[in-house]
Amino acid sequence: MQQDVEQIVERVALKLGRGLSLEDLDGVLLAYSSNQSHADRVRVNFLLSKRVPSDVSAWQLSHGIATAVRPVVVPANDELGMLGRVCVPLLVRGFRVGYLWVQQDLEEQTATAILAELPGVRDELDLLAGLLLDSNTAESEFRRRREQEFLAACSGESNAVAAVAGWKEIQGRGPWQLVTILDADGGGTDVDPIAATLTHRTAALQSTIGVNAALFSAGTETHSVVLFRESTGRADHAQVLVHYQLELAKRAGRAVDRVILGISEPFQVIRQLAGAYRQSKVAAQAAAVDAPLGELVDSRAVGVYQLFDRLQAPGGWDDAGSVHYRTLEDHDRNGELLPVLELLYDNDGSVQDVATKLHLHRSSIYNRLGRIRQLIGADPLSGAIRLELHAALKARRWASRPRI
């Protein structure tokens, strides 16, 4: 990858006949061209130190390169020992990945000639931006700091919440929804936590580029988090899900069969971020253990799982606390009773729907209900017993949720 970047920089330098340098968003040197008729003091020092000095960075930033989407002319600065140059922001679908610098020659008074030549290398610049996006963006120190601050805000840290509320991409863009993206199968127990975090960060970043509703993303060891603008539709979410699954498989080097997006309720102020994060995590965890909930899961749709997250006993929810459930579990050696009962509860008591899903005759469902009634000495479809058993069945699932 690095060799490809260097080759493209050399190719562009030869086409323009000028000295070039490529840096990331933190001002770290990524590549430079070998041909240069005259290198000013700033270029020489940059090539030696591999990082833009603070005074030079301040001068460059003062001309708006951090927000520019087109080439920016940065005039000479005699005090810094700096000739004039042109900054070419490198963007992919609106996402900034780095800067290419084209230095003016010693005798040039303006950057007009450089600006006129740049359209001729547009294809190379697009290719260069794509390579930087694929290889370098998620590892940017600036990006890492922002993600850490965002995750701290999601955890309710007051200073981080205040900082995130001031971000330009956040201000005036509400109401929002928070989304937790979870690989339902996970990567196993022997995963390198640092590698897993980078994988989730990169997959989230790549899958949300070009999705205007996705305002920011971050990744952790077990999952990713994305801040969306509120929407009633789910087209953007579905697009992110598909791309995330592909990116995760590519970067993790394994099959990824099921990715879940847990979606919070809309919220109006950033200080509600922590509550929304909790909602989205519960939705994703619930869908991981209860497949019929689907892959795009709103927090309000997960039912009793919301209560399990809030009402945790010291040892967590213990489904054996239900006497009737324990009785059924002890006698259901072949797994014929509890699955039927759960499907029946989940399908509003429709025997026909359960029989169709299990490819059984309706009489088989009635026979199993009869056995259940005998074992517990009560009607499993009556109000209080139904509530108890349905909650116990879901508690059993909740106990096996992914811990994130």
Side-chain angles (χ1 to χ4, degrees), residues 11 18 35 102 113 140 189 205 247 295 298 307 320 327 340-341 386-387 402:
R11 192 190 314 163
R18 299 175 182 276
N35 67 313
V102 187
S140 157
T189 57
L205 179 61
E247 286 292 335
E295 281 70 50
D298 288 281
L307 303 182
T327 299
V340 166
L341 200 56
R386 176 173 180 154
L387 176 61

